[in-house]
Amino acid sequence: MKLYVSERAPNPRRVQMFIAEKGMTGIEEVLVDINAHEHKSHPALSRSPVARIPVLELDDGRVLSESRAICAYLEGLQPEPNLMGRDAEERAFIEMADRHVEWYVTLPLAQAIRHQHPGLAVLEQPQFPEFGASQQAKAMETLRWLDGLLQGQPWVAGQRFTIADITAFCTIEFARLLKFKPGEQGLAALAAWRDRVAAR
């Protein structure tokens, strides 16, 4: 299998972290330069209607896109260590936590970065800095909620490390492009959680 990734982008990193936590081997990584728009012309990637990464190319030539779908496929191939839930109830609550992070932290922060950071202008034309600033403010509201949640439990989805922690960590790291550091924002629990994940 081949995993198509790019440097610094949060979604490919989510899959890379998932693979690392699983201890999986044998998946070849192919680096794609999205700033040079390689993802739009690459034969494997252009098969997706949106030509985004990451993409996992299976041994039979089919391509699987979307970070969470790729992770679900890999979890099915290698169920342990489990990162997405062992039964229907746990899977539902882990997915809920992961979706909360995706929709209310990752998405607005990605929009904030794409519309405010000059280095992303090549991918986002036109940029709307005011929209980006509004999305950053929305993400901060959710990050304060997440900080409160982490004051009462060790991990994003509860008592153990899951895919929700991977999603949140990759988002927080990507937000460094906005000079965001949880500790400097008064989010002590989030900062401590971030350091625990980084130590992994």
Side-chain angles (χ1 to χ4, degrees), residues 2 13 18 21-22 30 33 42-43 57 65 67 69 72 78 88 103 119 128 134 149 161 164 167 180-181 189 192-193:
K2 293 180 180 178
R13 189 175 185 188
F18 193 89
E21 286 287 336
K22 288 280 188 186
V30 179
D33 185 349
H42 193 285
E57 186 174 10
S65 62
S67 305
Q78 184 175 309
W103 282 99
F128 296 102
S134 74
L149 184 73
F161 183 90
T167 302
F180 173 76
K181 294 181 181 177
W193 163 88

Side-chain angles (χ1 to χ4, degrees), residues 17 34 42 54 68 77 86 133 160 162 168 188 190:
M17 280 186 66
I34 58 175
H42 193 285
R68 205 167 200 291
L77 291 182
R86 292 189 175 89
R160 69 183 184 91
T162 68
L190 186 63

Side-chain angles (χ1 to χ4, degrees), residues 84-136:
M84 299 181 84
R86 292 189 175 89
D87 57 30
E89 181 176 322
E90 191 182 32
R91 279 193 299 274
F93 279 92
I94 290 171
E95 179 165 355
M96 177 183 71
D98 196 34
R99 295 298 189 192
H100 284 165
V101 173
E102 275 188 326
W103 282 99
Y104 309 120
V105 181
T106 306
L107 181 60
L109 277 178
Q111 295 286 21
I113 293 165
R114 288 178 75 99
H115 285 279
Q116 294 182 97
H117 195 281
L120 275 289
V122 67
L123 297 175
E124 194 67 52
Q125 281 299 321
Q127 284 186 311
F128 296 102
E130 288 183 5
F131 171 69
S134 74
Q135 294 302 294
Q136 187 173 344

Side-chain angles (χ1 to χ4, degrees), residues 148-159:
L149 184 73
L150 290 167
Q151 291 173 29
Q153 62 191 46
W155 304 106
V156 173
Q159 298 304 308

